[in-house]
Amino acid sequence: MKYFLLLLLATFISLTSKAQFRIKVTAKNTADSIVYVRTSVYDDQNYVPKDTISLRKSGWKVSKKAIIGGIGFLYFPKTKSKIWICLDNNDSLSVSLSGPDYLASIQTKDKKNKLFFEYQRMERSLAFIDTLYKKEQANGRKFSYSERAAFFKMKSDSLTKFRTQALKRLKPTDALSIHFKSLNALDRSIPDRKNYAKRAAFLNEIPFNNPKYLFTPNFKATLTEYMSYYPLQADSMQVGMDLVLGKFNCDAKAYPYAFDFFARLMKNRNIQNNTEGYVYFLTRYVKQSGCKFLPEKRKMEFLQELDGLSGLPLNQLSPALNLADTTGKSVDLHSFAKDYDYTLLVFYAPTCEHCQKEVPEVEKVLKMAESVLQLKIGRYAICNEPGVPDATWKEFIAKYNLNENYAHVTMPGITKERLVYDALSNPVFYLLDKQGNIVGKKLGAVTIRKFFGAKQKM
């Protein structure tokens, strides 16, 4: 995250020019006394801080940095209200609002933002559909892409119609026009992993090289949507990644954000053979790349990570481990593996929230595989949290019933073994065969299920 924020700051500073915007907010009878003006970058969770405006005073606020144009928002911290705005170079925007319902009361003479406020009011009138969807999910209902599209059809049709009519009144270069066009593309999209033509058509609709597009909340969403057209397998995901990154010159303002997106994606444990996919990413886009956007220190960290991952090839003997269990007795990994058809090597921390969720999920998958395939699967579980109290460690084991076929051992610190397995975060899962060879790396519940599902079909 620190690396991402540095990229964000560097990218924004590089946009500095004489262009500015001016904004004025006047208010009556509001619970908030101030409003923050924010400019979205990449998505609505990452933004460039802008001005703070006092609602008890009047007058123009001028940004101290340039803005190339994009979608931002007014954020009212006391009521936690958010109203989106569009700003282009040298825009002057004056708005007024009153009473407790800011969106309902906000007014402006600016034609673009007047349209935008009307659109947001329509969105809010249809928000009950989102509420119903969340309730269905909370009740355990699973939606396919087509089922989700059908659920939201009335909402997406209404909003698409509004946006399509609005586009006739906007210049193609307006930030709001770019925003609405990309939202239309997203609403039309229903990912289908066998429909290659539709996948290509969606990608061609996205204006990745338009610098204004980076300053909308849609950039990350469109990357996510596009990659949803690919199976969760590293070799397939690599194709999509290459096609997207091939759209950019590496000196483009958006390139670091796309790079960051794929750096995270290719490490996802739900992608089959994700380690090989991440090695491919680091090799092609760091080691072999001529792009100079990465700080030298960060580049070296990536290359060190690549060296570590390349040292654990599939179908070769796993590095030796001989660690003490909860009673103080040493347990050798390779000797342990000989007693089982497969052994899951687990690095976890009892206080880690991800571990508290994922370790039990993986355990359910293992039990199912044992039952269906008549296998005996060992669990060499390493408490990867030096200094954690024994009581906390044992409480974790008892709470999640991690007892059957388990060896519970502890890693004493940042040892060479921990570095070799790249287990500096938690949880980390490897799968070994009876001889101790690595047959799966950096797995998750989904990829473990796929591994044993393939065995069932053989």
Side-chain angles (χ1 to χ4, degrees):
M1 188 62 185
K2 181 180 179 182
Y3 160 66
F4 179 76
L5 292 174
L6 287 173
L7 278 179
L8 186 151
L9 181 61
T11 300
F12 187 72
I13 290 173
S14 70
L15 296 173
T16 302
S17 68
K18 294 181 180 179
Q20 295 180 324
F21 70 88
R22 297 196 303 166
I23 185 166
K24 179 181 180 181
V25 182
T26 56
K28 294 180 180 179
N29 304 319
T30 57
D32 289 89
S33 59
I34 62 171
V35 58
Y36 301 133
V37 183
R38 298 287 186 250
T39 301
S40 296
V41 179
Y42 185 63
D43 61 28
D44 62 0
Q45 301 299 315
N46 300 287
Y47 51 81
V48 176
K50 288 285 184 184
D51 291 297
T52 299
I53 298 177
S54 171
L55 297 178
R56 302 293 181 257
K57 299 178 182 179
S58 61
W60 290 100
K61 294 290 179 180
V62 182
S63 73
K64 297 177 183 178
K65 292 185 175 70
I67 179 168
I68 61 172
I71 304 301
F73 55 91
L74 304 174
Y75 181 71
F76 303 86
K78 185 173 182 179
T79 57
K80 295 182 171 55
S81 303
K82 181 188 286 187
I83 298 178
W84 293 93
I85 56 176
C86 57
L87 293 165
D88 285 283
N89 280 346
N90 296 314
D91 270 357
S92 294
L93 174 62
S94 177
V95 300
S96 63
L97 50 90
S98 61
D101 190 339
Y102 303 160
L103 181 58
S105 67
I106 194 166
Q107 299 292 329
T108 184
K109 292 182 179 179
D110 181 87
K111 293 180 180 179
K112 290 182 295 185
N113 280 286
K114 189 174 183 179
L115 262 177
F116 205 6
F117 298 152
E118 290 175 11
Y119 174 76
Q120 290 171 73
R121 292 178 190 123
M122 174 178 275
E123 270 191 315
R124 188 167 71 174
S125 72
L126 297 168
F128 69 92
I129 298 175
D130 299 84
T131 302
L132 291 173
Y133 183 74
K134 290 177 182 177
K135 285 183 178 179
E136 291 289 329
Q137 287 184 311
N139 290 333
R141 182 177 172 184
K142 304 293 183 182
F143 289 85
S144 67
Y145 291 119
S146 58
E147 288 170 340
R148 183 183 67 183
F151 194 97
F152 283 101
K153 188 176 187 306
M154 189 268 280
K155 178 182 178 180
S156 60
D157 285 353
S158 299
L159 294 178
T160 298
K161 182 178 179 181
F162 183 101
R163 292 189 298 254
T164 301
Q165 291 300 316
L167 286 168
K168 298 175 183 178
R169 301 158 62 181
L170 296 167
K171 296 178 182 178
T173 55
D174 287 340
L176 188 58
S177 178
I178 293 166
H179 180 51
F180 277 176
K181 285 178 181 176
S182 60
L183 286 176
N184 280 351
L186 282 167
D187 274 351
R188 284 194 300 269
S189 169
I190 304 174
D192 180 347
R193 291 169 179 171
K194 296 181 180 179
N195 193 331
Y196 307 117
K198 190 175 180 182
R199 173 199 297 172
F202 176 77
L203 182 63
N204 290 332
E205 286 191 78
I206 309 306
F208 285 120
N209 283 309
N210 189 320
K212 290 184 182 180
Y213 191 59
L214 178 63
F215 287 80
T216 75
N218 304 332
F219 186 91
K220 186 175 180 180
T222 52
L223 289 174
T224 302
E225 184 77 3
Y226 177 66
M227 294 309 294
S228 297
Y229 280 91
Y230 290 86
L232 290 174
Q233 298 170 356
D235 53 355
S236 294
M237 303 296 272
Q238 287 165 203
V239 173
M241 175 179 66
D242 289 343
L243 286 170
V244 171
L245 292 178
K247 293 275 186 180
F248 295 99
N249 294 322
C250 63
D251 58 355
K253 304 304 180 187
Y255 186 85
Y257 297 89
F259 176 92
D260 180 78
F261 174 86
F262 286 110
R264 296 167 186 267
L265 177 68
M266 297 308 287
K267 294 179 76 170
N268 190 312
R269 287 191 294 270
N270 289 327
I271 296 175
Q272 201 162 14
N273 298 326
N274 65 327
T275 303
E276 287 71 25
Y278 189 52
V279 166
Y280 173 88
F281 170 79
L282 292 177
T283 301
R284 178 162 182 173
Y285 295 103
V286 180
K287 185 176 182 178
Q288 298 175 352
S289 174
C291 295
K292 305 295 184 184
F293 73 97
L294 280 172
E296 191 61 27
K297 181 181 178 182
R298 186 56 181 147
K299 181 177 180 179
M300 293 307 299
E301 289 173 353
F302 275 129
L303 292 176
Q304 288 173 4
E305 192 174 6
L306 175 60
D307 287 341
L309 291 172
S310 301
L312 287 174
L314 284 174
N315 301 314
Q316 291 194 25
L317 188 65
S318 56
L321 288 171
N322 197 346
L323 301 171
D325 65 12
T326 51
T327 67
K329 179 183 176 182
S330 292
V331 182
D332 177 73
L333 172 62
H334 295 154
S335 298
F336 179 82
K338 289 177 181 177
D339 293 332
Y340 299 93
D341 298 300
Y342 292 94
T343 292
L344 190 74
L345 175 57
V346 186
F347 293 86
Y348 73 95
T351 60
C352 154
E353 290 186 10
H354 288 294
C355 302
Q356 292 165 7
K357 177 183 178 182
E358 292 184 47
V359 171
E361 286 179 355
V362 167
E363 178 65 15
K364 289 179 182 177
V365 174
L366 296 181
K367 287 186 180 299
M368 183 176 294
E370 288 175 318
S371 174
V372 173
L373 299 175
Q374 295 298 296
L375 294 172
K376 188 178 181 184
I377 303 173
R379 288 82 152 165
Y380 193 88
I382 300 173
C383 179
N384 201 26
E385 188 174 4
V388 66
D390 280 357
T392 303
W393 181 20
K394 293 176 182 179
E395 181 183 354
F396 181 91
I397 295 168
K399 181 177 180 180
Y400 298 109
N401 299 313
L402 308 178
N403 298 306
E404 189 176 348
N405 297 341
Y406 266 90
H408 285 286
V409 298
T410 182
M411 184 70 74
I414 301 180
T415 62
K416 64 178 182 180
E417 291 85 1
R418 187 178 179 190
L419 294 171
V420 164
Y421 277 101
D422 190 32
L424 298 177
S425 61
N426 294 298
V428 177
F429 303 94
Y430 291 86
L431 192 63
L432 315 180
D433 65 14
K434 197 174 187 68
Q435 289 72 43
N437 297 317
I438 297 174
V439 294
K441 301 189 293 185
K442 297 295 185 74
L443 303 168
V446 172
T447 43
I448 294 170
R449 185 182 296 111
K450 285 182 177 179
F451 177 89
F452 287 113
K455 296 291 181 186
Q456 185 179 8
K457 295 174 184 177
M458 292 175 64

